[in-house]
Amino acid sequence: MESREFIDMARRILDFESRVRERAADEITDRLNAYSPAQASALATLLSATAASEKEDGALESELHAILELMSTGHVGLDHISPLREIRLREQLPPEVREYVTDMLEG
């Protein structure tokens, strides 16, 4: 992925509007083969930090799904998604999403 596209994707992941963040996360999963190892790990780190403070359920689900897909590339390690540990699993997440996050953090 060209640098310009990567920066645009990073900006959209961090956008103020939850719809933009959700759409960006969905697009990430559509382009998994386009990322260099460094880009994949950077996107996972940004998505994890965003998900840790996400208030919108739809955006959170898309962010978590994108992280899981990026992990499947083999370029994302547990240290890249460590911000997910900031989510208080039992209090903040529906059961199906809680299981998703727990599985990711357990590797």
Side-chain angles (χ1 to χ4, degrees):
M1 170 176 277
E2 292 182 14
S3 295
R4 175 187 48 78
E5 294 173 295
F6 176 74
I7 294 299
D8 180 57
M9 184 64 73
R11 284 184 179 135
R12 290 188 294 136
I13 290 169
L14 300 173
D15 198 272
F16 179 75
E17 294 291 326
S18 65
R19 291 177 313 212
V20 175
R21 293 190 305 274
E22 183 175 351
R23 209 169 316 122
D26 290 340
E27 288 177 28
I28 285 172
T29 62
D30 294 337
R31 304 185 68 189
L32 287 178
N33 294 327
Y35 310 119
S36 70
Q39 289 171 334
S41 60
L43 288 173
T45 301
L46 287 174
L47 283 165
S48 296
T50 302
S53 60
E54 185 61 68
K55 303 291 187 232
E56 299 295 325
D57 290 342
L60 176 60
E61 187 172 340
S62 291
E63 291 156 2
L64 294 173
H65 178 71
I67 294 165
L68 188 62
E69 292 294 317
L70 285 166
M71 289 181 76
S72 75
T73 66
H75 304 302
V76 177
L78 293 178
D79 56 327
H80 297 115
I81 63 166
S82 63
L84 293 179
R85 296 188 190 285
E86 296 172 25
I87 299 173
R88 288 174 285 146
L89 298 178
R90 296 191 197 288
E91 299 167 21
Q92 291 180 274
L93 300 176
E96 62 278 0
V97 176
R98 186 180 319 136
E99 186 175 320
Y100 215 29
V101 173
T102 301
D103 287 347
M104 279 191 278
L105 291 173
E106 289 177 356

